[in-house]
């Protein structure tokens, strides 16, 4: 079931050098990916202003505490803007890769074989995205900090204080950031929207070109994870996690773009096999990924989703 993958599955793990035909897109995407580790480190080190905000709210007449909360929140908001701006760059990078990996006349498998460097970048974008969202899910402070910032700005109580930040994060930007951070998995949602937009904007491109590219990548990852002769060659747990995150990422994109989604019987992704592969891992490693399948997919709760698949994800 699904696409029989004849490609050497390791193509997604190798650091293939871009061919001349790939180089232009590869350079563009690489300039984005180069910043991804710093974004993750910055998110990992995110210490919210919870205490300062509580103090300020409990003592509304203490101007010193108001000022302290405001001065704690402003640099955090600048950080959050940086993450949000990065999501827009990631969206562009993803669309460039989709253009390259789906264009006729090659089949998705041929694309993945011939453009291994771009396929690897596609995988790396998904890997980053799932790591970002796993971290974000564990930091409730982000939304608390941001809503305090917005309340304070809108009341403009702190008239005599540094509001230069409004040049950085004006109301329109704050609205867009609010929507972004309200998502359980904001980066994945950005990529799902980007993939959906890619498909709707390229009306002449058969939808299968995109969905087959995604289902092929899902099969490649699944084969690597469930076949001992491959998985025993993984150099580390990190490689295992890489494969799992990429697999979950492409499933979610497929589910958003395919009219019937990833879960029903006609899907080209063997969902039962993919979920089983995840369930065979230590629970700590896959909790975030199973949650992403539960909460960021579009069709899981459709009538057409087989009961056994829904049960596996409960």
């Amino acid at each position: 079931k699904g696409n029989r993958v004849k490609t050497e599955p390791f193509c997604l793990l190798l650091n293939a050098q871009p061919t001349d035909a790939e180089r232009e897109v590869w350079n563009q995407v690489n300039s984005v990916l180069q910043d991804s580790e710093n974004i993750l480190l910055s998110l990992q080190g995110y210490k919210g202003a919870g205490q300062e905000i509580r103090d300020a709210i409990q003592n509304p007449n203490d101007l010193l505490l108001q000022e302290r909360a405001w001065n704690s929140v402003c640099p955090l908001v600048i950080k959050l803007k940086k993450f949000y701006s990065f999501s827009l760059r990631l969206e562009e990078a993803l669309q460039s890769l989709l253009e390259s990996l789906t264009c006729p006349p090659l089949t998705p498998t041929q694309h993945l074989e011939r453009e291994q460097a771009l396929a690897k970048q596609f995988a790396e974008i998904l890997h980053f995205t799932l790591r970002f969202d796993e971290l974000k899910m564990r930091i409730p402070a982000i939304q608390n900090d941001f809503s305090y910032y917005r309340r304070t700005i809108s009341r403009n109580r702190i008239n005599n204080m540094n509001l230069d930040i409004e040049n950085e994060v004006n109301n329109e930007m704050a609205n867009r950031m609010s929507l972004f951070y309200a998502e359980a998995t904001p980066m994945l949602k950005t990529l799902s929207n980007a993939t959906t937009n890619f498909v709707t904007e390229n009306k002449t491109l058969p939808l299968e070109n995109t969905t087959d590219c995604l289902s092929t990548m899902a099969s490649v990852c699944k084969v690597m994870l469930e076949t001992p002769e491959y998985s025993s060659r993984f150099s580390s747990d990190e490689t295992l996690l890489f494969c799992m995150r990429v697999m979950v990422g492409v499933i979610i994109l497929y589910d958003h773009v395919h009219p019937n989604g990833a879960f029903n019987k006609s899907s080209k992704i063997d969902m039962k096999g993919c979920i089983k592969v995840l369930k065979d891992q230590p629970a700590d490693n896959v909790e975030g990924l199973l949650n992403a399948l539960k909460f960021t997919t579009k069709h899981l709760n459709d009538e057409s989703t087989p009961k056994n698949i829904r049960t596996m994800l409960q």
Side-chain angles (χ1 to χ4, degrees):
K1 187 167 155 72
N3 304 3
R4 288 307 308 139
V5 181
K6 290 184 280 297
T7 52
E8 168 69 11
F10 273 94
C11 67
L12 290 182
L13 298 180
L14 301 171
N15 286 318
Q17 287 309 301
T19 58
D20 288 343
E22 296 170 279
R23 189 164 307 280
E24 193 184 333
V25 171
W26 190 90
N27 286 339
Q28 180 214 334
V29 175
N30 190 48
S31 71
V32 177
L33 280 170
Q34 277 178 331
D35 296 336
S36 63
E37 281 305 315
N38 281 338
I39 293 282
L40 286 173
L41 283 171
S42 187
L43 178 62
Q44 235 162 357
Y46 189 97
K47 296 277 178 279
Q51 190 57 52
E52 292 88 340
I53 291 172
R54 275 193 299 278
D55 292 344
I57 290 171
Q58 283 160 7
N59 305 282
N61 299 324
D62 186 328
L63 284 179
L64 196 67
L65 288 177
Q66 308 308 310
E67 196 165 335
R68 184 182 296 164
W70 179 250
N71 291 337
S72 304
V73 164
C74 283
L76 293 172
V77 169
I78 300 291
K79 215 180 211 195
L80 293 177
K81 182 192 173 186
K82 193 174 80 178
F83 302 156
Y84 170 70
S85 303
F86 187 74
S87 77
L88 303 179
R89 293 175 61 206
L90 206 61
E91 189 174 353
E92 260 178 51
L94 183 86
Q95 291 192 321
S96 300
L97 287 173
L98 281 169
E99 257 165 55
S100 302
L101 292 170
T102 58
C103 59
L106 301 184
T107 66
T109 307
Q110 287 170 325
H111 272 298
L112 293 178
E113 278 170 352
R114 293 187 197 183
E115 292 152 66
Q116 295 195 0
L118 296 186
K120 174 78 196 294
Q121 284 185 321
F122 193 103
E124 281 174 346
I125 285 182
L126 290 169
H127 184 229
F128 161 80
T129 297
L130 278 125
R131 285 160 74 202
F132 183 95
D133 286 346
E134 278 170 30
L135 283 171
K136 185 262 175 187
M137 276 180 162
R138 297 191 198 129
I139 311 177
I142 287 178
Q143 274 171 285
N144 299 337
D145 295 344
F146 197 63
S147 54
Y148 176 79
Y149 168 76
R150 299 210 67 187
R151 288 198 307 273
T152 308
I153 284 273
S154 63
R155 281 200 307 263
N156 211 347
R157 282 229 317 267
I158 311 182
N159 288 325
N160 55 346
M161 288 175 58
N162 166 23
L163 287 182
D164 292 348
I165 187 164
E166 284 216 73
N167 306 331
E168 289 263 357
V169 181
N170 60 20
N171 204 32
E172 189 197 345
M173 170 60 84
N175 283 333
R176 293 205 301 261
M177 285 168 64
S178 267
L179 291 171
F180 178 76
Y181 288 110
E183 295 291 343
T185 51
M187 286 285 175
L188 256 176
K189 188 77 172 112
T190 301
L191 294 195
S192 301
N193 291 346
T195 311
T196 308
N197 292 343
F198 171 78
V199 167
T200 40
E201 282 159 20
N202 291 277
K203 297 233 185 315
T204 54
L205 184 75
L207 176 69
E208 291 69 54
N209 288 32
T210 305
T211 51
D212 287 356
C213 166
L214 297 169
S215 58
T216 303
M217 285 181 78
S219 315
V220 167
C221 294
K222 182 176 88 72
V223 167
M224 281 198 284
L225 288 162
E226 69 187 2
T227 315
E229 63 174 298
Y230 289 129
S231 51
S232 64
R233 282 154 61 186
F234 286 173
S235 52
S236 68
D237 274 0
E238 218 13 74
T239 314
L240 192 72
L241 282 167
F242 179 87
C243 280
M244 293 194 291
R245 288 183 182 124
V246 174
M247 180 178 80
V248 167
V250 284
I251 288 170
I252 288 169
L253 297 187
Y254 182 100
D255 192 54
H256 276 264
V257 192
H258 198 290
N260 306 326
F263 295 98
N264 71 0
K265 288 193 170 69
S266 66
S267 160
K268 285 196 175 172
I269 296 180
D270 167 17
M271 282 307 301
K272 212 165 126 191
C274 291
I275 297 169
K276 185 182 179 308
V277 164
L278 292 173
K279 293 242 160 161
D280 288 344
Q281 305 299 326
D284 285 356
N285 285 355
V286 293
E287 186 191 8
L289 296 174
L290 292 169
N291 279 340
L293 285 178
K294 279 184 227 175
F295 303 126
T296 313
T297 44
K298 194 173 168 185
H299 294 279
L300 175 61
N301 295 317
D302 288 6
E303 286 295 305
S304 59
T305 299
K307 283 235 167 42
N308 62 344
I309 288 184
R310 242 180 287 180
T311 312
M312 284 176 88
L313 278 176
Q314 267 163 13

